Amino acid sequence: QVQLVESGGGLVQPGGSLRLSCAASGFRFSSYAMSWVRQAPGKGLEWVSRINSGGGITTYTDSVEGRFTISRDNAKNTLYLQMNSLKPEDTAVYYCAYGTTKGQGTQVTVSS
């Protein structure tokens, strides 16, 4: 079955960086676009970024453009999200997603 396992979250100060990873299994990872979505406390799911199957086309929501970088390693069935210049409003549970399937999420907290 499809499994998505996120890791790399934590507590970071404003302006700091984190790198999230998502290990995928149970489907042909290299054939599908992947996304990162997030859910802030008390809010709904927000799409953050998407990458096509080959990794050459990436898109971002306006609020993270220029600060976050999505990438993938198809040989390792792994999706990444490099997050720089983090802001308190980036605090959320981050999920990787394939279609309507997402993992259990990893908590990112940006606070001084």
Side-chain angles (χ1 to χ4, degrees):
Q1 72 277 20
V2 174
Q3 275 199 311
L4 300 169
V5 180
E6 301 93 339
S7 61
L11 173 63
V12 63
Q13 292 187 341
S17 297
L18 283 174
R19 188 194 196 202
L20 306 184
S21 299
C22 171
S25 61
F27 66 105
R28 186 170 292 190
F29 179 77
S30 60
S31 294
Y32 294 93
M34 296 291 296
S35 295
W36 286 97
V37 298
R38 66 186 179 184
Q39 187 165 24
K43 297 189 177 181
L45 278 175
E46 176 190 23
W47 171 78
V48 175
S49 182
R50 180 185 183 274
I51 188 167
N52 74 327
S53 59
I57 301 173
T58 59
T59 52
Y60 302 90
T61 191
D62 286 348
S63 62
V64 309
E65 181 80 52
R67 299 189 297 121
F68 290 11
T69 303
I70 190 171
S71 62
R72 64 192 298 162
D73 185 335
N74 285 342
K76 295 182 178 179
N77 287 356
T78 303
L79 179 71
Y80 302 101
L81 186 67
Q82 177 67 43
M83 305 187 296
N84 298 329
S85 302
L86 282 160
K87 303 175 181 180
E89 51 264 43
D90 295 317
T91 294
V93 178
Y94 283 72
Y95 304 89
C96 67
Y98 153 65
T100 57
T101 301
K102 64 183 193 300
Q104 85 290 344
T106 186
Q107 176 71 48
V108 171
T109 302
V110 185
S111 175
S112 55

